[in-house]
Amino acid sequence: MTGTETVRYRRTADWLAGAPEFTAGLAKDAEALHAHIAAAAELPPPRPKAAHGSGEGEGEGKGEGEGAGEVAQCAPSVQDACRALRARFIGRHADAVYDELTDRRTARPRLADLLHRAADRYPGLVPTRAHMAEQAALAQADKDGSEIDQGIFVRGVLRAPTAGRHLLTSMLQPSPRALDLLPRFRRTDRMDLGSVRVERRGTAAHLTVTNGYCLNAEDNALGDAMETAVDLALCDDRIKVGVLRGGVMDHPRHRGRRVFSAGINLRHLHRGQISFVDFLLGRELGYVSKILRGVLDEPPAGSPADPFARSSGGTFAGHSADASADPFAPPRFAQKPWIAAVDSFAIGGGMQLLLVFDVVIAAADAYFSLPAAQEGIIPGAADLRLPRLVGGRLARQVVLSGRRIAATEPEARALCDEVVPPEQVTAAVEAAAARLADPAVVANKHALVAAEEPLDLFRTYMAEFAYAQAVRVNSPDVIDKLTRSLPGRPAAERGRGPCA
């Protein structure tokens, strides 16, 4: 080890040994976190080891030995130490930090806004908005793993029962876009959101996914459109039932056929165009949870009156607004039953969606698969929900080994309620929608959800998912799988990322 490398090593070792213990109050601990993280940025980086036989590195690098290897390990050690420090800080102060960022839980920022507030209020705790904007422009392989630091923060908040419950319910708010579009939807009974169309037919809202050029593969734009569409269905009190179905494809291999979903768009993931916060987390905490639990039915915090009231009075879900309501009262939700109609296949995220629907109708030639383990990522909340529906053994075959289940197999009875010839799917959906419009359905759905998946069960799962998924999408094996699998995937799976 040379003299320069010895200095590098000692400075880094001193920094590692000087990590704060976080035994003071929030303010002092936040200052200590900021100071230590800032000091890490000033540490000299280890000199890259020259390639063997390159002729470079003569002199300072000549005769590298065991000490030089220790220097080369400094960079990952510093990064890991910074992350451990952030985890200890948010683990100790999650409720206090969350209260500070939400005005003692009187404000309900969505997850992305919460992270921006945290970056501004607690420097060093999470990446800044500007840094994440720079990262968003990079391919997944070129990103620096800042999503892991966001995952650490979200895990810490969700692990704290009070803060975690408030965040989960805040994510069930109707989106501003949906509330802006709601009056027009009530007038026209139709809304084209680009990759999703919404149409009211009687008391049912029919959502048709039209991302046809890539077999309804999911991406950021589709996730945003789906959340808006689900909100419109839940916030319009004329609607009693929601229906989701894939549209007719213009993809060469399936032209003229309906397809439910090809799952996450792997090409977009490879390009770094799948947002960790807005899609990988926001999808689970947002519209998927809304299909299961309903939309938060309360006026915005601090609102003097309900600006979304119908002309006949009341809020979007039919309850009267009360601007003086206790902000700490239990939240209420506008919940409705949902039907999924599966044509052709439900792959990956498409199969995950089925696990929160009340009725699933499948065409006889359809199949289901969940290849997330083969891709290297975690299949949303499927690891929580699938064993409950199909049992632990079959769930492991599907999740860990990628077993595909045809709609006509006996095992599919745990995934879908009816299997009909493709030409009879529409009639089966209409019959199911008529059954689910009964007023008693909502009350019983609420009881079923409360028994099967209490909010705290979902909260504890999502806390661990937030960190684990951030690690997975930044793992070398996932990047390698994406790179190797994109050109020339098997024909049956080719819809999982053909979007160029």
Side-chain angles (χ1 to χ4, degrees), residues 18 23 217 259 352 361 380 384 480:
T23 57
V259 165
Q352 295 169 31
I361 297 167
L384 171 66
D480 182 60

Side-chain angles (χ1 to χ4, degrees), residues 198-220:
V198 190
E199 180 182 2
R200 184 178 75 88
R201 303 177 202 163
T203 60
H206 289 257
L207 282 59
T208 304
V209 183
T210 57
N211 221 17
Y213 77 107
C214 55
L215 303 182
N216 289 339
E218 295 180 290
D219 52 27
N220 290 348

Side-chain angles (χ1 to χ4, degrees), residues 351 355 370 379 381-399 414-415 453 461:
M351 182 175 174
L355 308 181
L370 207 58
D383 290 348
L384 171 66
R385 295 170 177 146
L386 187 62
R388 184 171 67 230
L389 292 178
V390 306
R393 185 54 49 207
L394 181 56
R396 282 168 171 77
Q397 294 172 18
V398 172
V399 173
L415 294 170
E453 191 177 301
Y461 176 88

Side-chain angles (χ1 to χ4, degrees), residues 300-339:
S303 173
D306 177 21
F308 317 115
R310 305 188 318 274
S311 59
S312 59
T315 67
F316 51 78
H319 299 288
S320 60
D322 180 3
S324 63
D326 178 5
F328 300 105
R332 59 193 183 193
F333 304 95
Q335 200 171 30
K336 296 176 183 178
W338 285 83
I339 300 166

Side-chain angles (χ1 to χ4, degrees), residues 66-84:
E66 183 177 346
E70 293 173 345
V71 174
Q73 295 173 6
C74 288
S77 296
V78 169
Q79 184 181 64
D80 291 345
C82 286
R83 287 177 174 157

Side-chain angles (χ1 to χ4, degrees), residues 414-429:
L415 294 170
C416 53
D417 301 273
E418 297 181 56
V419 178
V420 299
E423 66 274 11
Q424 295 180 19
V425 171
T426 298
V429 167

Side-chain angles (χ1 to χ4, degrees), residues 26 89-90 92-109 114 117-118 121-122 125 153 156-158 160-167 170 327-328:
L26 173 60
F89 176 84
I90 195 63
R92 179 176 178 82
H93 295 296
D95 280 323
V97 166
Y98 190 82
D99 278 359
E100 178 83 13
L101 300 177
T102 60
D103 298 326
R104 295 187 65 247
R105 285 169 280 126
T106 59
R108 287 191 177 277
L114 183 72
R117 294 184 183 199
R121 179 64 183 83
Y122 299 100
L125 180 56
F153 175 84
V157 170
L158 289 177
T162 300
R165 293 179 196 128
H166 191 271
L167 176 57
S170 295
F328 300 105

Side-chain angles (χ1 to χ4, degrees), residues 445-457:
K445 171 174 178 170
H446 180 78
L448 285 167
V449 172
E452 290 181 342
E453 191 177 301
L455 192 63
D456 276 344
L457 175 62

